[in-house]
Amino acid sequence: MAGSSPGDIVGEVLRSALAEVLSTPWLAGLLAVITLGKLVQLGPAMVHGGHGRDPRRTFSRAEKAEFLERAGHRCEHHSWLLGRCRGTEALQADHVHPHSRGGATDVLNGQALCRRHNKQKSDRPPWRWELNRLARRRESYFPPGTPTAVLRYGPPVPDPVEV
Ligand SMILES: [Zn+2]
């Protein structure tokens, strides 16, 4: 044996520390809880397809004004039976792809909803066909030339270190 390199020594120390932890039931339990917590933290990142939560949650006044304008100051909810909602009062700026699921706080991921339909809306990310349907319907009421497609995610959030 030609003596251990520093890396080996560190590995040895870690291994014996881990052995120590695992032989102590409450420490092993704590380790399991921490590991589980990390997995729970990582879960949403996987659900988001690598998109973390947009650090900004609420739309600005200007963005909200833009939503309402292009929607003709009317709720954008549609039902199969009744067609487009007639609500024009107290409209709210809503994330089409929910913010909690990685949806961007961006005009391209926004829609105008009345209070009732915003409340009714679930936290589920919309299916592709639902977005296509919304885009098709918007063609009938958005001003010409206004993009109707929904963009779920904004650009990836830059690494703060690189800024
Ligand atoms: Zn409505």
Side-chain angles (χ1 to χ4, degrees):
M1 288 285 280
S4 314
S5 72
D8 285 344
I9 293 166
V10 170
E12 193 53 50
V13 168
L14 283 179
R15 262 194 298 280
S16 62
L18 191 64
E20 185 77 27
V21 165
L22 291 180
S23 65
T24 314
W26 71 267
L27 271 179
L30 189 67
L31 190 69
V33 166
I34 291 170
T35 309
L36 207 67
K38 266 283 171 262
L39 285 178
V40 168
Q41 266 178 11
L42 288 176
M46 290 187 246
V47 169
H48 298 161
H51 291 265
R53 234 176 243 209
D54 192 324
R56 189 163 67 96
R57 185 179 153 65
T58 45
F59 291 103
S60 69
R61 283 175 95 87
E63 285 168 330
K64 193 179 170 192
E66 195 178 332
F67 288 3
L68 301 191
E69 190 62 38
R70 69 182 184 189
H73 294 269
R74 184 172 158 187
C75 174
E76 292 191 70
H77 177 86
H78 284 78
S79 80
W80 291 106
L81 272 178
L82 303 169
R84 190 175 171 196
C85 172
R86 296 183 187 282
T88 55
E89 304 274 310
L91 295 177
Q92 301 176 337
D94 173 61
H95 292 78
V96 178
H97 184 108
H99 177 264
S100 61
R101 301 304 189 99
T105 301
D106 188 295
V107 171
L108 292 177
N109 182 40
Q111 64 179 342
L113 286 184
C114 69
R115 191 173 301 170
R116 182 162 70 95
H117 285 129
N118 197 8
K119 220 169 179 172
Q120 231 174 56
K121 191 170 168 261
S122 74
D123 218 20
R124 166 181 72 72
W127 298 102
R128 182 79 241 164
W129 63 267
E130 291 175 303
L131 298 186
N132 292 340
R133 194 182 57 186
L134 177 63
R136 267 201 313 279
R137 284 174 169 155
R138 281 175 160 182
E139 278 162 25
S140 70
Y141 60 84
F142 269 22
T146 310
T148 55
V150 173
L151 196 71
R152 298 171 188 262
Y153 306 113
V157 180
D159 193 329
V161 180
E162 290 172 36
V163 172

